């Protein structure tokens, strides 16, 4: 099990000056002031003790109400929601709860770097499906069905997608749901970027599809939408029987999510919507700038419709593989991107560029990349 390829480049740029980093997937915005103030107020009021293992009940109620309002899917906040240390812990706890040794878990590549390692750590067998730019990195029901074996336990979905920015529309999700139903699979759906979709796309929660609520674990959180990465607040929502197992893993491994951060999340749900919309609109502006410039430069990139990443192909234009491209770009022009192969073998030849950074810095980074490609054009 190799260390994350993202962190390697992050460590390299930390020792350099005048670097524009398009690497780490976190907002450049600070957490909105009312959210931060709510945490401060909780500390000053002496709220410095453990919460219930599953989290503050009011927070679970607010999350349940939010999911029902936005997606029409209902969860019991008492038995079907657990507050976790970021969506990452929700992912890990879910896999540990549902995987028996040797169970196969299908997932799609390129994908978030933790999927396959967490499946392995839970005793499962990671089974990747490659997606390509020919289909805008969309997973199809046909390839899912062709990959299923008698040992398949679950399907892992990550849309909107990190690193590609790909999304799936309702008809595509419904076709996958039909396959899941026929083969009696569990679905683990990482929807941490659900609020960050663009160009008229409407996100559909997988558990909101007909028949899918009782066979889906929905993973979400506050890091991306509310600019709260460092607060480490996420959640898992699942049928009570599955949640009982997830809650036990969470209880013995974590106890509870940080108390002050939970109070911050409560305020985020109560008053954070204007901030979410403002940040979304700014990401959209940056998305259009980066996508247009990359294609003008000759690093072909489909239009990302979710998250905050572009995923251009770099080898055809430069003759460099993705690792060599990223290392040379950092060394020569002080622009940091992440090699696509860090997100799985099907990411080879691509790089991930994150547009959750200042508009002016993106413009300067694109100017530097244009100079670099001009020198290295194949």
């Amino acid at each position: 099990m190799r260390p994350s390829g993202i962190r390697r480049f992050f460590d390299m740029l930390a020792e350099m000056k005048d670097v524009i980093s398009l690497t780490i997937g976190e907002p450049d915005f600070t957490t909105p002031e009312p959210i931060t103030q709510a945490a401060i107020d909780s500390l000053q009021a002496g709220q410095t003790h453990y919460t219930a293992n599953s989290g503050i009940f009011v927070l679970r109620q607010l999350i349940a109400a939010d999911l029902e309002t936005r997606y029409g899917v209902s969860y019991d906040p008492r038995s079907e929601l657990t507050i976790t240390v970021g969506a990452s812990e929700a992912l890990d706890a879910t896999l540990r709860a549902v995987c028996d040794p040797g169970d196969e878990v299908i997932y799609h590549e390129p994908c978030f770097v933790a999927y396959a390692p967490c499946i392995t750590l839970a005793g499962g067998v990671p089974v990747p499906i490659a997606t390509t730019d020919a289909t805008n990195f969309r997973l199809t029901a046909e390839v899912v069905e062709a990959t299923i074996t008698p040992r398949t336990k679950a399907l892992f979905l990550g849309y909107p997608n990190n690193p590609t920015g790909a999304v799936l529309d309702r008809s595509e999700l419904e076709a996958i749901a039909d396959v899941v139903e026929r083969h009696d699979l569990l679905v683990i759906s990482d929807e941490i970027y659900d609020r960050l979709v663009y160009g008229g796309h409407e996100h559909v929660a997988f558990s909101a599809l007909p028949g899918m609520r009782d066979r889906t674990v929905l993973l979400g959180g506050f890091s991306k939408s509310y600019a709260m990465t460092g607060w480490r607040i996420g959640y898992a929502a699942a049928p009570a029987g599955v949640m009982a197992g997830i809650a036990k893993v969470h209880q013995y491994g974590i106890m509870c999510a940080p108390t002050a951060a939970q109070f911050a999340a409560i305020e985020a749900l109560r008053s954070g919507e204007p901030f979410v919309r403002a940040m979304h609109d700014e990401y959209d502006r940056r998305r259009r700038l980066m996508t247009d410039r990359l294609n003008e430069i000759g690093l072909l990139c489909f239009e990302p419709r979710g998250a905050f990443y572009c995923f251009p192909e770099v080898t055809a234009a430069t003759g460099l593989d993705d690792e060599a491209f990223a290392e040379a770009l950092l060394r020569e022009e002080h622009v940091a991107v992440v090699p696509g192969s860090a997100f799985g073998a099907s990411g080879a030849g691509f790089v991930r560029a994150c547009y959750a950074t200042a508009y002016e810095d993106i413009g300067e980074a694109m100017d530097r990349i244009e100079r670099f490609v001009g020198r290295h054009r194949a």
Side-chain angles (χ1 to χ4, degrees), residues 10-34:
F10 188 70
D11 292 342
M12 289 170 61
L13 68 90
E15 300 177 3
M16 303 177 67
K17 296 180 179 179
D18 187 33
V19 173
I20 299 175
S21 176
L22 308 176
T23 55
I24 299 298
E26 72 170 342
D28 63 317
F29 299 104
T30 55
T31 304
E33 190 276 335

Side-chain angles (χ1 to χ4, degrees), residues 16 129 215 230 306 323 329 371:
M16 303 177 67
I129 295 177
R215 59 173 69 250
E323 291 255 355
L329 178 63
R371 288 199 302 266

